[in-house]
Amino acid sequence: MCWSGIPHVCRNVAWKILSRYLPLMADRREMMLKKKRQEYFNLVDQYYETRKQAIHADTYHQIHIDIPRMSPLIPLFQQELVQEIFERILYIWAIRHPASGYVQGINDLVTPFFVVFITEYIPLDIRTYKVNSLPESAIQNLEADSFWCFSKLLDGIQDNYTFAQPGIQKQVNTLKDLMMRINSELHQHLTSNHVEYLQFAFRWMNNLLMREMSLMCVIRLWDTYLCESEGFASFHLYVCAALLNKFSSELLQEKDFQGLMLFLKNLPTQHWNDDDVRFLLADAYRLKFAFADAPSHLKE
Amino acid sequence: MSFQGPEEYDYLFKIVLIGDSGVGKSNLLSRFTRNEFNLESKSTIGVEFATRSIVVEGKKLKAQIWDTAGQERFRAITSAYYRGAVGAMLVYDIAKHATFENIDRWLKELRDHADDNIVVLLVGNKTDLRHLRAVMSEDAAEYADRNNLIFIETSALDSTNVEHAFQQCLNEVYKRVADRHFSNVNIGQTTALPTTNLQSTILEKKFCCNS
């Protein structure tokens, strides 16, 4: 039911359940939330001060300079209070995951959760909402819930962010194999022009297409990712393949490396709406259905 | 975004922009290639890419510029882009001394991964922040001198010297190409160069591209 898009009013709860953060049994939810929220703020108390230590200075500095640069056009994210929340979430996550630490791009991955969860407290248009007018407890719950769901997401794709980013390298190779099979003409065209998949698809994997689409489109995309098993690690590949397929004719018209690269790095998807995402997901599903269970599918 | 129509050029030069996160690499690129500056530009993930052509001594030089992410974690990905580069702009922020201190590390990256004859510019960016200056021009100039780099200060925000910096880089590359300085040059190739497994460094092309 959620696969085909979650209605706005249910999304907050649905995402928390699908992230396996909120229990299915309604009567257990309150207790669990209380416990997890407390646990998060214990972590903050325990770790956040360490950002001032020399050994963690680089991590904190990187987070600190990235936060003001994310989603610069959405005023919500320019509010000091919101930026502080993001800093804490990212720092606490980084410090508890030393194998990867903070990697640029994962800051983007907090935003869909934050934006979806804030709807529990405020009406529809959140873009210019002054978060500091919310009660303190609501702000804290929002922060803790965002942290835990963001953590669950990253648990599934952690090797995307460890040294040399092996998860991404593997995904990009798999995407290439997949394209060879589903659209060999386009694949040939890219390779004969010396375009390497890593050159354009790296960001697609590192930021889960968040740089290619509006936040609202990404949220719609994630409705489905959260429903798929390994949505962010595996189904995402079929979405990337569907995306390449979608622009196949435009790409085939580009006659050289620079033309192809500029197109791929600036896909005309910035003004997409829900329908575009729906069609993309349908294509991705079709590809997955046709190729995922085929015998020579995605050779390991 | 795409460049349509036939395009001619005599040389295609690959240039890389490197340096710490937040020093303004992406804005130097956008200022040079599109005359745009964005105060709130997002962090670069992996590498970005843009091109622009200029004329030097009657020859049309096309610069293919790769703008790399500054964060350490991306180094494994970004260092692959040094291969085949004939020019590098090593950028620091004149208002943040730590970004200048890290130049040594970046220079080592280049020495490890790039062609020995690569033209390297040391670029002190953000000169518009004169009241916050933390790196003295003389110190940077002296460092550049010692390490055989061309030194220049720029401001992508107010455009100061940006054009000049890229021009100087391309001029110097052109000079070295004319003198056959590059060891693994492949003059006369007609393929685009930027793949990581191609050794071609400079490509001389006539009447090509989209034709």
Side-chain angles (χ1 to χ4, degrees):
Chain A
M1 193 180 83
C2 297
W3 202 97
S4 48
I6 302 172
H8 185 74
V9 289
C10 317
R11 196 174 261 137
N12 167 45
V13 173
W15 275 32
K16 284 174 186 159
I17 294 172
L18 291 167
S19 298
R20 297 174 192 278
Y21 174 54
L22 206 56
L24 267 175
M25 308 252 284
D27 57 343
R28 288 187 50 222
R29 285 180 195 164
E30 200 160 330
M31 194 187 74
M32 222 289 308
L33 282 175
K34 199 168 160 223
K35 185 175 141 248
K36 293 304 273 186
R37 287 164 178 171
Q38 186 57 50
E39 194 183 329
Y40 170 71
F41 282 101
N42 289 344
L43 293 174
V44 172
D45 287 343
Q46 187 181 348
Y47 291 115
Y48 199 49
E49 277 300 300
T50 65
R51 72 190 188 282
K52 294 168 185 159
Q53 297 170 3
I55 179 175
H56 300 305
D58 280 354
T59 298
Y60 181 69
H61 171 72
Q62 189 69 61
I63 293 170
H64 189 68
I65 62 173
D66 281 354
I67 300 296
R69 301 196 274 176
M70 54 193 283
S71 307
L73 299 177
I74 302 178
L76 177 75
F77 296 113
Q78 296 308 316
Q79 295 170 31
E80 205 181 323
L81 178 70
V82 175
Q83 299 197 347
E84 284 168 9
I85 290 173
F86 274 71
E87 278 190 16
R88 273 193 298 274
I89 291 176
L90 289 165
Y91 183 78
I92 301 297
W93 188 86
I95 208 86
R96 296 185 72 229
H97 296 84
S100 64
Y102 170 74
V103 177
Q104 290 186 306
I106 68 173
N107 53 330
D108 281 354
L109 307 183
V110 185
T111 53
F113 293 113
F114 187 82
V115 163
V116 167
F117 297 163
I118 204 172
T119 59
E120 182 175 343
Y121 308 101
I122 57 172
L124 277 175
D125 190 18
I126 52 124
R127 277 172 301 179
T128 54
Y129 185 82
K130 295 270 179 289
V131 176
N132 58 12
S133 54
L134 279 173
E136 176 84 19
S137 63
I139 297 173
Q140 290 193 344
N141 294 347
L142 176 61
E143 177 172 340
D145 296 349
S146 300
F147 172 82
W148 287 117
C149 291
F150 160 75
S151 298
K152 298 263 188 196
L153 161 61
L154 285 185
D155 283 349
I157 51 171
Q158 224 203 124
D159 59 353
N160 281 7
Y161 305 106
T162 51
F163 177 75
Q165 305 187 259
I168 293 186
Q169 309 252 18
K170 189 172 158 218
Q171 281 190 317
V172 169
N173 282 330
T174 312
L175 175 65
K176 183 173 155 186
D177 291 347
L178 200 53
M179 288 308 293
M180 246 187 269
R181 302 177 61 209
I182 64 179
N183 190 338
S184 63
E185 188 189 8
L186 178 60
H187 173 76
Q188 283 300 329
H189 183 62
L190 293 176
T191 44
S192 66
N193 280 291
H194 305 283
V195 172
E196 289 187 13
Y197 283 71
L198 195 64
Q199 289 163 337
F200 64 87
F202 179 81
R203 189 172 71 191
W204 296 5
M205 308 303 174
N206 193 78
N207 290 44
L208 294 172
L209 291 173
M210 288 196 62
R211 291 290 179 92
E212 332 302 319
M213 290 177 206
S214 72
L215 187 53
M216 292 309 137
C217 285
V218 168
I219 287 174
R220 171 62 195 87
L221 196 62
W222 286 21
D223 283 345
T224 302
Y225 282 10
L226 285 164
C227 292
E228 282 280 323
S229 70
E230 299 201 340
F232 295 94
S234 165
F235 187 68
H236 178 63
L237 284 177
Y238 294 94
V239 171
C240 292
L243 194 60
L244 273 175
N245 245 357
K246 162 133 188 104
F247 294 111
S248 191
S249 58
E250 286 90 339
L251 287 164
L252 288 169
Q253 275 167 32
E254 295 290 347
K255 294 288 182 244
D256 67 357
F257 176 84
Q258 6 271 330
L260 283 164
M261 196 52 74
L262 287 169
F263 188 93
L264 287 162
K265 290 263 182 197
N266 303 280
L267 289 181
T269 46
Q270 296 297 339
H271 300 290
W272 268 22
N273 57 31
D274 261 24
D275 281 343
D276 295 306
V277 178
R278 235 178 26 183
F279 288 126
L280 182 72
L281 285 165
D283 279 343
Y285 185 74
R286 189 178 52 79
L287 291 175
K288 183 188 158 191
F289 188 76
F291 290 91
D293 299 322
S296 60
H297 160 72
L298 309 184
K299 293 145 273 170
E300 286 291 326
Chain B
M1 244 8 232
S2 67
F3 296 111
Q4 294 295 336
E7 196 194 0
E8 299 168 12
Y9 52 84
D10 298 297
Y11 292 92
L12 179 62
F13 292 153
K14 179 178 172 183
I15 310 290
V16 289
L17 280 165
I18 59 175
D20 276 7
S21 187
V23 298
K25 298 179 293 294
S26 300
N27 270 317
L28 282 169
L29 178 68
S30 65
R31 178 60 83 192
F32 178 63
T33 57
R34 301 191 299 275
N35 197 21
E36 283 173 14
F37 178 88
N38 186 353
L39 250 185
E40 293 152 331
S41 67
K42 295 182 180 183
S43 60
T44 304
I45 303 298
V47 288
E48 274 306 320
F49 172 84
T51 64
R52 193 184 137 186
S53 299
I54 64 163
V55 176
V56 172
E57 294 177 10
K59 299 283 187 193
K60 190 165 180 186
L61 316 183
K62 182 161 187 157
Q64 187 188 78
I65 308 161
W66 293 89
D67 167 27
T68 63
Q71 200 191 2
E72 181 105 28
R73 180 49 42 89
F74 295 125
R75 216 61 62 79
I77 306 289
T78 53
S79 60
Y81 290 85
Y82 300 164
R83 196 176 301 170
V86 288
M89 308 251 259
L90 231 165
V91 189
Y92 68 93
D93 175 350
I94 64 136
K96 295 223 166 61
H97 202 270
T99 66
F100 179 65
E101 288 158 31
N102 281 335
I103 288 294
D104 262 338
R105 260 165 60 193
W106 287 108
L107 206 51
K108 184 171 181 310
E109 281 281 307
L110 275 181
R111 302 287 182 236
D112 288 349
H113 298 282
D115 189 288
D116 292 343
N117 288 299
I118 190 169
V119 172
V120 185
L121 263 73
L122 179 64
V123 181
N125 190 36
K126 306 197 187 180
T127 54
D128 50 282
L129 300 176
R130 45 189 78 77
H131 54 296
L132 298 173
R133 181 183 280 275
V135 182
M136 293 301 119
S137 305
E138 305 77 56
D139 296 347
E142 199 240 336
Y143 179 91
D145 217 38
R146 240 184 311 127
N147 291 283
N148 244 331
L149 319 174
I150 299 168
F151 172 59
I152 192 164
E153 288 190 334
T154 58
S155 164
L157 185 140
D158 66 22
S159 297
T160 306
N161 270 346
V162 176
E163 189 77 15
H164 187 56
F166 281 96
Q167 294 261 6
Q168 221 181 332
C169 181
L170 291 166
N171 272 336
E172 185 59 31
V173 169
Y174 178 70
K175 230 164 62 191
R176 291 195 193 180
V177 169
D179 294 346
R180 295 284 192 268
H181 266 304
F182 287 97
S183 52
N184 49 357
V185 182
N186 256 333
I187 303 265
Q189 279 246 6
T190 49
T191 50
L193 78 157
T195 65
T196 46
N197 49 16
L198 264 188
Q199 280 299 314
S200 54
T201 315
I202 296 126
L203 306 164
E204 191 170 20
K205 282 178 108 178
K206 299 260 185 202
F207 313 109
C208 52
C209 247
N210 295 340
S211 50

